[in-house]
Each structure stands twice: as C-alpha cells, then as structure tokens.
Amino acid sequence: MTYVEGFVLAVPANAKDAYRDHAADAVALFKEFGVRRHVECWGADVPVGKVNDFRTAVQAKEGEEIVFSWFEYPDRAARDAATEKMMSDPRMQAMGAAMPFDGQRMIVAGFASIVEEGLGGPMGYTDGFLVAVPTANRDAYRALAEKAAVVLLDHGATRVLECWGDDVPDGKVTDYRRAVHAGADENIVFSWIEWPDRETRVAGWDKIMADDRMRHDPADQCFDGKRMIYGGFAPILDA
C-alpha cells in the first residue's frame, strides 16, 4: 500500500505565490528521486482548537498560514532511497537555501497507509487530520476508519487515506508527537479526505453527520478526540 511522507508547515500569507512556485520548481526533481505524487494544500478553513490545532503544531506566527502537504511512494524502500538521494544532491541544498518559510518549524514524518479507499480524481479540497492513537488500538482504529471511509465515499469524497506513524522523528523545535500531545504509548495518524471541490465537501459532511452508520457508542472511542487536529485545505499543487 501507499507510503506517505507527511508535512505540516507555516508559510507567510504574503509568500503564497513564492511558495507555490518553489514547490512547482521541485516537482521534476522529486519525481526523479521517486516521488509518485506530490501535493501541497493551503489552509482554507483551519480552526483554532481548545487543546491543540494546526497552528500550534508548527508554532505559526501572526500573518502565517498552514500548509498540509505530502509525498506518495509505492513503499518505504522507495521513500528511503529517495531520502538518501535528496540528502546528497547539491540541487536540494540550493533549494533549501531559497525556502520561503521557516524550515525549523516544519514537521515531517513517514507513514504507512492502513486504510486507502477511493479511486481519487481531480481534487479541489482536502480535509486533513492528525490523531494520537494508543498503539494497542491500531486494529480498532483501522476498523473504525474503514467503516467511516465507506460513508465518506458514499457522500461525495473521492479518496480516503489513513496512515500510521512508521518513522516519526523527534524534532528540535516541533514534531508530530508534540503537535497532538502524544503519550509514550501512542502513535501518530496522518490522514486526509479528498473532495472534488469545497461545495461537495460541505454538502457531504451534512449528509455524513446525519448518516446512521456514523453513530457509535462513545465508550468505544479508540482515541482521544479532544487532541485530534483537523482543518480544510485547498490544493495549490497536485503533481
């Protein structure tokens, strides 16, 4: 199944075009390294959370927006090979020096997909999620996500990915574990839902929330929903 390198970062709002151009300039290089799909999504509806949120995850400052981004690979071996090439290629060093954002606050990790449903297609909107899940509840979470994916696709979503933390490093400034206040016995889920456009997403969620298949006993909750991070994003690059 798909292996994902997931990124969350803060970019100055006035650098949106520069960021998109920077990412577009890198597409050919990343493809050369083995990236199968490269997606960059700009924050469109990123709410403030009571406990945590995407902004606190990357210590976003006033005037910065959130980017939710990922690379897709066929497997971890392809990702590891690509990472090795990126680390040694002088073109990447030049690209890093020209980044229009603070790379020290970017969070990045490798994730193995545990649920992958839908054929995809032109994507006009994405719901992105970060979740802390007890390691012992991996199978229960996957079962819950599989059921939800069916409902999501029935109501307009085109693709659903749920990805389990596989290579989640500790960062010096920020990282995924701090983002969701993960405990020692918890792992990180990086997840997203693809929609053809925002209108379909809004209408779809109204139907999803009213669908009896989404009802479940709160006692069966296999993760702490209060620490789940979520937001809506509009793609600015999908290569």
Side-chain angles (χ1 to χ4, degrees):
M1 297 179 75
T2 301
Y3 195 89
V4 171
E5 189 98 62
F7 306 84
V8 182
L9 54 150
V11 179
N14 60 10
K16 181 179 181 181
D17 291 342
Y19 180 82
R20 181 174 52 215
D21 292 344
H22 179 79
D25 288 343
V27 167
L29 184 58
F30 291 147
K31 183 177 180 180
E32 176 186 325
F33 291 150
V35 174
R36 187 169 64 185
R37 185 185 182 199
H38 172 192
V39 180
E40 303 278 353
C41 298
W42 190 265
D45 181 15
V46 182
V48 175
K50 293 182 178 180
V51 178
N52 51 359
D53 54 44
F54 273 114
R55 297 190 64 82
T56 61
V58 293
Q59 298 180 16
K61 301 176 181 179
E62 186 72 25
E64 291 183 327
E65 300 292 346
I66 306 302
V67 169
F68 182 84
S69 171
W70 69 87
F71 294 158
E72 294 183 30
Y73 295 96
D75 50 44
R76 176 165 180 173
R79 177 264 195 172
D80 289 348
T83 300
E84 185 174 349
K85 294 175 184 175
M86 291 177 190
M87 295 298 290
S88 60
D89 195 302
R91 294 172 293 178
M92 288 295 298
Q93 296 174 15
M95 189 178 301
M99 293 188 305
F101 62 92
D102 179 6
Q104 292 186 327
R105 288 182 284 129
M106 177 178 71
I107 57 177
V108 56
F111 300 86
S113 61
I114 56 174
V115 174
E116 185 172 353
E117 299 291 344
L119 299 177
M123 180 180 64
Y125 201 80
T126 299
D127 284 313
F129 304 87
L130 304 179
V131 191
V133 180
T135 303
N137 290 351
R138 182 179 186 272
D139 290 343
Y141 180 86
R142 180 173 58 192
L144 182 67
E146 287 175 341
K147 292 179 180 178
V150 173
V151 181
L152 288 161
L153 293 172
D154 282 351
H155 294 305
T158 57
R159 189 169 181 240
V160 180
L161 266 289
E162 298 274 355
C163 305
W164 188 258
D166 178 66
D167 181 16
V168 184
D170 294 332
K172 292 182 179 180
V173 180
T174 53
D175 57 46
Y176 279 103
R177 299 192 64 82
R178 277 181 272 189
V180 292
H181 302 177
D185 63 339
E186 293 180 317
N187 200 359
I188 311 302
V189 168
F190 181 95
S191 172
W192 74 88
I193 306 164
E194 299 180 18
W195 302 89
D197 50 55
R198 185 168 182 170
E199 292 74 21
T200 302
R201 180 260 190 191
V202 171
W205 272 110
D206 287 341
K207 298 173 184 176
I208 290 161
M209 297 305 293
D211 195 307
D212 288 341
R213 292 173 293 175
M214 293 295 285
R215 302 185 188 281
H216 65 278
D217 187 341
D220 292 335
Q221 186 80 343
C222 57
F223 64 92
D224 179 7
K226 292 180 181 179
R227 288 182 285 132
M228 180 177 70
I229 295 174
Y230 62 92
F233 299 85
I236 56 174
L237 179 111
D238 188 353

